[in-house]
Amino acid sequence: MSTARSTRKRILDAAAELFQRRGFSGFSYQHIAAELGVRNAAIHYHFPSKADLGVALLSRYRDSFRWWTEQLERQDLSPAHKVLAFLELESRYCREGKVCPLGVVCVEYENVTDSVRIEAAGLASDLEIWLAAVLEEGRRGNVLQVRGSGRGAAVAILAQLQGGLQLARVRGPRHFQEVLEQTRLNLGISAADLMVAAG
Amino acid sequence: MSTARSTRKRILDAAAELFQRRGFSGFSYQHIAAELGVRNAAIHYHFPSKADLGVALLSRYRDSFRWWTEQLERQDLSPAHKVLAFLELESRYCREGKVCPLGVVCVEYENVTDSVRIEAAGLASDLEIWLAAVLEEGRRGNVLQVRGSGRGAAVAILAQLQGGLQLARVRGPRHFQEVLEQTRLNLGISAADLMVAAG
DNA sequence: GTCTATAGAGGGATAGAC
DNA sequence: GTCTATCCCTCTATAGAC
């Protein structure tokens, strides 16, 4: 069981890496197998079909995000700092040359099973609900400039970050920094705070 | 030659459709062939490798955009109306269930040839330069609220639209409307103008 | 320019031994 | 739980007839 858990986790780690680098259709069981030094069939044991693997991947992103928000809650941060922490989370993807998992599914939407679509929609919903709540909280406390509904602003910011991570690939990481800067300006968060968060 | 032109164009039309729906790895010469009622080999005659097809596709997007900006210029519109016209262009993709071609290449970046990457970078550059110029013009005329550099604001808006088109797939087209609304709010364009542009 | 035919590689997936 | 072996399919790409 310990071995099973370990292999399963290693598969998901390798798959997540490939997924965010090459897209869903862009990686194969062979790629994962080669990286882990196991055989193709070993992966099919843990994830019978590629759709199963896709769902498991997205489900894990959701779990990670939930865990992340919970530990953030325990730090009792201001809404502005919660936003900055989230920007830092996305910046990490940028530094690693990865894109948002959500974007991958969206682009290949007509190529994936319903099960994958549903899990992706759930992830999008999780992100949106959390960010909208933070923005609303910030607006009430007058520490964030939110235009329109918190929900609308949240969707726009998520779209911006997702697109920004992608554009960074063709135009360079500097472009993602510009996107972060604009997000900050639009919300009225001070430059000094962003520097801390974006590294 | 007339036939050649016609077939070549039909191939590009079908490929563009598939490309923006299923991603680059997600469609094949067979898909195009089936749709056009020709054989696989006929497509290889016009586009020897899939990379050639990818470059031709992106090159055509660039040509279309250049043509679009030129005809827009002849209409002598205000910067705000130029932005609205661009938003309408993106809205059309949303209504057709397509995503931005740039996003497709970005997501599958590590799966495509250098030639495709370079052409995609060129397209990104074209969009960015045009939008940055429009935003700067709007700022000078005090008709657009632009924060930071025109370039930075342009990148952020492009990222937002690209991400918004993608999120619309998992969360519904209404979400893209919210992104448009936020873009408008951030630039200080009136609601009435947006209604006209977004349909 | 388009066809038939096919090569050759790689994809997802399964059976059965260990 | 992982292996070997293999099936069947789809993919890109090419050769050569028409």
Side-chain angles (χ1 to χ4, degrees):
Chain A
M1 183 176 113
S2 151
T3 306
R5 272 293 149 85
S6 161
T7 300
R8 190 188 148 91
K9 186 183 180 309
R10 287 175 65 220
I11 292 170
L12 286 170
D13 289 341
E17 188 86 12
L18 289 160
F19 179 66
Q20 289 177 265
R21 291 190 181 282
R22 307 171 59 99
F24 190 63
S25 313
F27 79 90
S28 71
Y29 276 42
Q30 326 276 1
H31 289 130
I32 303 171
E35 178 132 341
L36 266 55
V38 297
R39 296 298 173 168
N40 186 346
I43 303 170
H44 276 285
Y45 169 81
H46 294 281
F47 305 98
S49 78
K50 201 177 176 183
D52 294 326
L53 176 55
V55 170
L57 268 178
L58 290 166
S59 171
R60 200 173 66 148
Y61 286 119
R62 294 183 72 178
D63 289 342
S64 298
F65 181 67
R66 192 178 312 120
W67 177 87
W68 181 81
T69 57
E70 283 167 5
Q71 66 90 23
L72 202 72
E73 212 51 48
R74 286 195 290 275
Q75 294 181 41
D76 199 34
L77 300 172
S78 77
H81 280 89
K82 284 183 191 170
V83 170
L84 291 174
F86 184 66
L87 296 184
E88 162 56 18
L89 203 59
E90 299 277 316
S91 294
R92 192 168 308 150
Y93 279 155
C94 186
R95 285 193 296 271
E96 294 169 350
K98 296 176 185 170
V99 292
C100 173
L102 210 43
V104 177
V105 176
C106 292
V107 164
E108 306 186 56
Y109 199 66
E110 306 206 2
N111 250 1
V112 300
T113 61
D114 278 344
S115 56
V116 171
R117 293 179 187 179
I118 289 167
E119 202 63 28
L123 174 57
S125 174
D126 292 348
L127 294 167
E128 193 181 310
I129 288 171
W130 175 81
L131 185 54
V134 171
L135 294 180
E136 289 287 6
E137 186 192 349
R139 169 165 38 203
R140 280 195 305 273
N142 269 326
V143 293
L144 292 178
Q145 290 168 20
V146 180
R147 296 171 187 79
S149 69
R151 178 63 68 103
V155 171
I157 290 172
L158 291 171
Q160 201 167 42
L161 295 172
Q162 183 171 311
L165 281 176
Q166 292 166 13
L167 289 176
R169 284 190 162 171
V170 282
R171 300 283 294 160
R174 184 75 190 76
H175 277 62
F176 184 68
Q177 296 302 318
E178 303 216 44
V179 169
L180 290 183
E181 171 84 358
Q182 287 289 321
T183 304
R184 177 184 73 75
L185 288 171
N186 285 334
L187 290 173
I189 300 176
S190 85
D193 286 342
L194 188 71
M195 289 306 140
V196 173
Chain B
M1 184 176 113
S2 151
T3 306
R5 271 293 149 83
S6 162
T7 301
R8 190 188 148 92
K9 186 182 179 308
R10 287 174 66 220
I11 291 170
L12 286 171
D13 289 341
E17 187 87 12
L18 289 160
F19 179 66
Q20 288 177 265
R21 291 190 181 283
R22 307 171 60 99
F24 190 63
S25 312
F27 80 88
S28 71
Y29 276 42
Q30 326 275 5
H31 290 130
I32 304 172
E35 179 133 341
L36 266 55
V38 296
R39 295 297 173 168
N40 185 348
I43 302 169
H44 276 286
Y45 169 80
H46 294 281
F47 304 98
S49 78
K50 200 177 176 183
D52 295 326
L53 176 55
V55 170
L57 268 179
L58 291 166
S59 171
R60 200 174 67 148
Y61 286 119
R62 295 184 71 179
D63 289 343
S64 299
F65 181 67
R66 192 177 314 119
W67 178 86
W68 181 83
T69 57
E70 284 167 5
Q71 65 89 22
L72 202 71
E73 212 50 50
R74 287 194 289 273
Q75 296 181 39
D76 199 35
L77 300 172
S78 77
H81 280 91
K82 285 183 190 169
V83 170
L84 290 175
F86 184 66
L87 296 185
E88 161 58 18
L89 204 59
E90 299 277 316
S91 294
R92 191 168 310 152
Y93 279 155
C94 186
R95 285 194 296 271
E96 294 169 348
K98 296 176 186 169
V99 293
C100 174
L102 211 43
V104 177
V105 176
C106 292
V107 163
E108 307 185 56
Y109 200 66
E110 306 207 2
N111 249 3
V112 301
T113 62
D114 278 345
S115 56
V116 171
R117 292 178 188 180
I118 289 167
E119 202 62 27
L123 174 57
S125 174
D126 292 348
L127 294 167
E128 194 181 309
I129 288 171
W130 175 80
L131 185 54
V134 171
L135 294 180
E136 289 288 7
E137 186 192 351
R139 171 167 35 204
R140 282 196 304 273
N142 270 326
V143 293
L144 292 179
Q145 290 169 19
V146 179
R147 297 170 187 78
S149 69
R151 180 62 69 104
V155 171
I157 289 172
L158 291 171
Q160 201 167 42
L161 295 172
Q162 182 171 311
L165 281 176
Q166 292 166 14
L167 289 177
R169 284 190 162 170
V170 282
R171 300 284 291 159
R174 185 75 192 75
H175 277 63
F176 184 68
Q177 295 302 319
E178 303 217 44
V179 169
L180 290 182
E181 170 84 358
Q182 287 290 319
T183 304
R184 177 183 75 75
L185 289 171
N186 284 334
L187 290 173
I189 301 176
S190 85
D193 286 343
L194 187 70
M195 290 306 138
V196 174

